[in-house]
Amino acid sequence: MNRNLQEEIEEIEEAEDDYVNSQSWTVEKVAARPDQRVGWFTQTFPPIAVCWLILLVIMGLRIYFASLWRESESELMAANRNLKNLNDKLCVLENQITNLTTVNQELEKQSQKLETQTHELETRNQELETERNLKGQIQNMETTWNKVNVSRAQWSIDEYCPKENKVSGRLCKACQEGWVLNKSSCYLFYDADPPDQKTWDEAREDCRGRNSDFIIIDNKDEQYVIQSNSWHDYEYWIGLRAEGGRWKWIDGSDLNESDWIQDQPPTDGQCAVSVQDNRLKQYEWISVSCAERYRWICKKKSLSV
């Protein structure tokens, strides 16, 4: 583009030189004839003036367009430089974005690791807290158990070996006060009146609270003890109840002497009571609902003295 514009300017300059030379030759030719000078000048001046005017316009346009071209070229070069600078900056920004993306990915990985570690630490902390609570509970239970054992030991001493007086000291017995001794066992016949009578489960809990359990009658000698110490026509809970269509003692053993209880099939929810029938002069076991309320008999081993 720059070369074509320069060639056009050179052609315009050559045309101007040719025109000036031709005019000089014409003037010389006219001057050779003085008598025609005035007429010739009058005829040729307007075209010459027009030509000069055109030439001036062309030169002005040439200068104007040359100026515009230089300004445009300067602007284009400045714009080109700006674009190049912007391109360089964009390249730098792209590199920075790439680096930031890589850094962000690394940070996300580290964040995920930290979250995992935090979760693991929280889980471990909960486990430690639970373990600490359990240790505290165990210590409290051990302390309580020790106190209970001491209390039970003192209670046992006081129950089995009560202080008679300051002189004679303690006098130990095989069974506590109110319990009946038979060989190596102690029996409690709880003759509660109807307001204080209990269901089978409630009565068994009472026996357990006395470090004993329901009586299990597995021999004639023990049956005789019950007959001898039971009130006539009073029903007492014993450790026998129906489970799975069979009569079972509280130690899990089956009832062997089936003729000792009423002749009726065992039904779950039924328990046995012992009765000394004074009218019939006989002792028997009767099947009743476990939810009924009766007296009860507890049994435990005697103290060796």
Side-chain angles (χ1 to χ4, degrees):
M1 177 179 177
N2 296 339
R3 185 174 59 186
N4 293 334
L5 185 58
Q6 188 68 28
E7 289 177 356
E8 290 178 359
I9 293 171
E10 290 177 355
E11 289 177 359
I12 292 171
E13 289 178 349
E14 289 177 358
E16 289 177 354
D17 293 339
D18 292 340
Y19 179 78
V20 171
N21 292 332
S22 64
Q23 291 299 326
S24 300
W25 177 81
T26 303
V27 171
E28 290 176 356
K29 186 176 181 180
V30 173
R33 293 182 292 176
D35 53 342
Q36 298 178 357
R37 185 178 303 170
V38 175
W40 176 84
F41 180 78
T42 304
Q43 292 177 358
T44 58
F45 178 76
I48 293 171
V50 172
C51 290
W52 278 101
L53 181 61
I54 293 172
L55 180 61
L56 291 173
V57 171
I58 291 171
M59 291 181 66
L61 291 173
R62 174 190 172 190
I63 294 169
Y64 174 73
F65 283 112
S67 176
L68 288 178
W69 176 77
R70 284 192 295 271
E71 291 178 359
S72 298
E73 186 179 18
S74 300
E75 292 177 355
L76 288 173
M77 291 178 67
N80 188 33
R81 285 193 298 271
N82 292 333
L83 288 174
K84 186 178 179 181
N85 293 332
L86 289 174
N87 187 46
D88 294 338
K89 291 180 179 180
L90 287 174
C91 291
V92 173
L93 287 175
E94 287 179 357
N95 293 331
Q96 292 178 351
I97 290 172
T98 302
N99 294 333
L100 288 174
T101 302
T102 304
V103 173
N104 186 43
Q105 291 175 352
E106 292 295 330
L107 289 175
E108 287 180 354
K109 292 180 180 179
Q110 293 179 3
S111 178
Q112 291 177 354
K113 290 181 180 179
L114 287 174
E115 287 180 357
T116 303
Q117 292 176 356
T118 301
H119 180 69
E120 292 176 353
L121 288 173
E122 288 178 352
T123 303
R124 181 55 180 165
N125 186 42
Q126 291 177 355
E127 292 175 353
L128 291 173
E129 187 67 24
T130 302
E131 183 178 353
R132 189 160 48 246
N133 292 335
L134 287 175
K135 286 182 178 179
Q137 292 177 3
I138 291 172
Q139 290 177 353
N140 292 334
M141 290 177 65
E142 289 178 349
T143 302
T144 304
W145 180 253
N146 292 333
K147 291 180 179 179
V148 169
N149 287 338
V150 171
S151 298
R152 284 182 176 178
Q154 185 62 45
W155 175 82
S156 298
I157 292 173
D158 293 339
E159 288 292 322
Y160 287 94
C161 304
K163 289 183 178 181
E164 296 293 333
N165 50 59
K166 293 182 180 181
V167 177
S168 61
R170 295 181 181 274
L171 178 63
C172 295
K173 301 177 182 178
C175 295
Q176 298 167 240
E177 189 69 27
W179 290 69
V180 177
L181 175 65
N182 180 54
K183 294 184 179 179
S184 61
S185 299
C186 297
Y187 303 85
L188 175 65
F189 293 80
Y190 200 88
D191 295 314
D193 292 328
D196 296 325
Q197 293 177 358
K198 298 181 181 295
T199 64
W200 191 89
D201 290 319
E202 292 173 349
R204 188 180 184 190
E205 286 299 317
D206 180 81
C207 288
R208 287 176 173 177
R210 301 171 186 272
N211 296 322
S212 61
D213 207 338
F214 273 148
I215 184 173
I216 297 175
I217 306 169
D218 54 5
N219 55 69
K220 295 290 185 180
D221 183 67
E222 201 158 44
Q223 183 181 2
Y224 175 75
V225 172
I226 295 175
Q227 288 178 297
S228 299
N229 293 276
S230 298
W231 286 90
H232 297 299
D233 299 329
Y234 281 3
E235 296 87 356
Y236 294 87
W237 287 122
I238 58 177
L240 184 66
R241 66 177 173 182
E243 292 182 10
R246 303 180 67 179
W247 286 106
K248 286 183 174 293
W249 294 104
I250 55 176
D251 62 357
S253 61
D254 293 330
L255 177 65
N256 295 324
E257 301 293 338
S258 58
D259 57 338
W260 286 10
I261 196 167
Q262 285 181 337
D263 187 15
Q264 57 180 327
T267 304
D268 289 355
Q270 296 292 109
C271 296
V273 292
S274 66
V275 180
Q276 179 71 28
D277 193 333
N278 190 40
R279 182 176 59 84
L280 298 177
K281 304 296 183 181
Q282 65 181 11
Y283 171 79
E284 61 181 349
W285 298 343
I286 301 175
S287 175
V288 296
S289 171
C290 298
E292 296 291 333
R293 294 181 176 274
Y294 295 107
R295 298 167 176 82
W296 61 94
I297 305 172
C298 300
K299 174 185 175 182
K300 64 180 176 179
K301 288 188 175 296
S302 62
L303 180 66
S304 298
V305 295

